[in-house]
Amino acid sequence: MAASEHNRYAGMWVFPEASQITRDVAGKMAATPRVLPLVLTGAGLLFVLGIVGFIARAVEDGFDDYMDWGYYAAVFSFIFMFSGAAPLAAVAFRLTKSHWRRPLSRISELFAVLGILSTIMLIPLLFVMPPINNAGWPGPGAEEMELRRTIWFEVPFGAPLAWDILGLLFLAVCGLGILWLSALPDLAECRLTATGFRRKIYNVLAGHWFGTKRQWNTQKAGLALLGAFYFMLLIFVQFVIVSDYAMSLVPGWKDSILPPIYTLTSLQSSLGAILVILYILRRWGGYEEYIGLSAFWSASKILLGLTLLWIYHTFAFFITFWFGRLEVEQNIIKYLFVESYGGIFLANLIFGFAIPFLILLWNPVRKTAWGPALAGLSAVAAAFLFNIRIFVGSFNAGDIYDVGLSKVPAATYPDVWDVFMVIGGIGAALFIYLLVTRIIPILSVWETKEGTKYQKMGTLIKGEYLILAKPE
């Protein structure tokens, strides 16, 4: 059967010929959809509002009191959370040589550009964070408690802030390296048809790529090496971010389960964001010919597993503190789970577990395009609520040099500058991502063309089936 008839076998789309793929994707990049300028303009305006809110907060409150920057820390963590883990989807599924991952590989890799935004957003937090040493603290027992409770000691080399920014910077560079290596073949093809200034950009980005066997082997080895480094760096950076900017700000909070919860929330929300973009491209972007249901079906199983892991670790966190029965543990539960931020935690539970679980539980829904995308959107909303609850709560928990959380603080609500910074941060992420898609194809053309070489139509008795091969 012809590929143009959009016939589907085992959830896989039969791709067009390789030359047709190149022409088609190039044409889609050249043709700007009517809605794109509107979305870019809206995202840009939100970006400007975020800058206004940041400047107003800095002028009004300065950087002396870290409690004023809780919502800024929350939106920074939210952007870092889903964008930092997204490239792992391309790395992991490419390693397993999965055919279904081809349409989403570039979508996930493009999130690496937001590593620059995350690194820039972290810089103000370096100035607002209180020092480790509590010298001059007037409270009782100051001579016995010289350091506040963090994962760091008061040692040279700028710990902890220098390690935070260096870790995030190296992660961003590694992610951009993965994106560039993966996009090299497509950039080289784009320079053949581009003109004017765009051609100069592609000449710089594509370099001396001509598609020789040695270059392909080098690209393959480079992607594997950078992918391994990226995974190790991501887990480390996530650990220090949630420990330094959340746990260490709540007096007496000692917990080994929060960092795994943070990582699981990151993996769940990043895969959810990828599925949402994949659905938009399939439904309205004109890429239905290249995005089959197998991408949603296969990714939904992983999303379901991450959802179950998230609720398990959340339960483990809660029950450990519940049966610990220490005053500080009970106060932390009341503060972040039951009383002060109880409403947000309930919403977090609904969007992070109940909705995705009920959607993905049913195989007929998992095999659709809208089902996994809807579950993914719910996971992204849950990640946003998680960061508001944890980071705003941590930044406003009280005296960090106290022995423990001796009372349950009230919830902290946003003012107008907080709202501006939150929507501005999200707008900035959307603006940068969309802008980069005008330079780098959002569909990995070379991987899609590669997929055509590993599939063919075959017959068995009276049936006609799509036969897939595994590379190497």
Side-chain angles (χ1 to χ4, degrees), residues 357-373:
F357 178 73
L358 292 176
I359 291 175
L360 301 176
L361 183 64
W362 306 101
N363 196 46
V365 178
R366 283 205 308 269
K367 292 165 63 176
T368 65
W370 63 267

Side-chain angles (χ1 to χ4, degrees), residues 210-411:
F210 297 103
T212 64
K213 183 178 180 180
R214 181 177 180 180
Q215 287 178 331
W216 281 111
N217 289 336
T218 302
Q219 186 217 33
K220 179 182 177 181
L223 286 174
L225 187 63
L226 286 175
F229 275 112
Y230 192 87
F231 174 74
M232 292 185 292
L233 274 172
L234 177 67
I235 301 303
F236 170 75
V237 175
Q238 287 180 339
F239 172 74
V240 297
I241 291 297
V242 75
S243 298
D244 288 343
Y245 298 91
M247 197 189 311
S248 70
L249 298 180
V250 180
W253 191 0
K254 303 170 187 155
D255 180 39
S256 61
I257 302 178
L258 181 64
I261 294 177
Y262 188 87
T263 297
L264 285 170
T265 307
S266 174
L267 296 173
Q268 184 195 33
S269 60
S270 62
L271 184 57
I274 292 170
L275 287 173
V276 170
I277 297 174
L278 197 67
Y279 177 77
I280 292 173
L281 291 178
R282 186 179 191 272
R283 179 67 176 81
W284 296 289
Y287 288 92
E288 184 179 4
E289 193 170 6
Y290 307 102
I291 303 174
L293 293 180
S294 63
F296 297 95
W297 189 11
S298 301
S300 67
K301 301 172 186 176
I302 301 171
L303 184 61
L304 177 60
L306 291 172
T307 300
L308 294 173
L309 283 173
W310 182 86
I311 191 62
Y312 168 77
H313 281 79
T314 301
F315 173 75
F317 173 95
F318 184 87
I319 201 170
T320 301
F321 276 39
W322 178 264
F323 283 104
R325 306 306 294 176
L326 295 177
E327 181 184 5
V328 60
E329 294 173 333
Q330 296 302 300
N331 286 340
I332 288 174
I333 287 180
K334 293 176 182 177
Y335 183 43
L336 297 176
F337 286 85
V338 180
E339 294 181 3
S340 302
Y341 291 94
I344 295 183
F345 172 68
L346 179 60
N348 191 180
L349 199 63
I350 292 172
F351 285 100
F353 171 69
I355 293 178
F357 178 73
L358 292 176
I359 291 175
L360 301 176
L361 183 64
W362 306 101
N363 196 46
V365 178
R366 283 205 308 269
K367 292 165 63 176
T368 65
W370 63 267
L374 182 60
L377 183 62
S378 179
V380 174
F384 177 76
L385 295 169
F386 173 87
N387 284 285
I388 293 294
R389 180 170 60 93
I390 296 297
F391 284 86
V392 175
S394 297
F395 268 65
N396 295 272
D399 187 357
I400 56 174
Y401 299 123
D402 199 353
V403 176
L405 193 65
S406 55
K407 64 177 182 178
V408 180

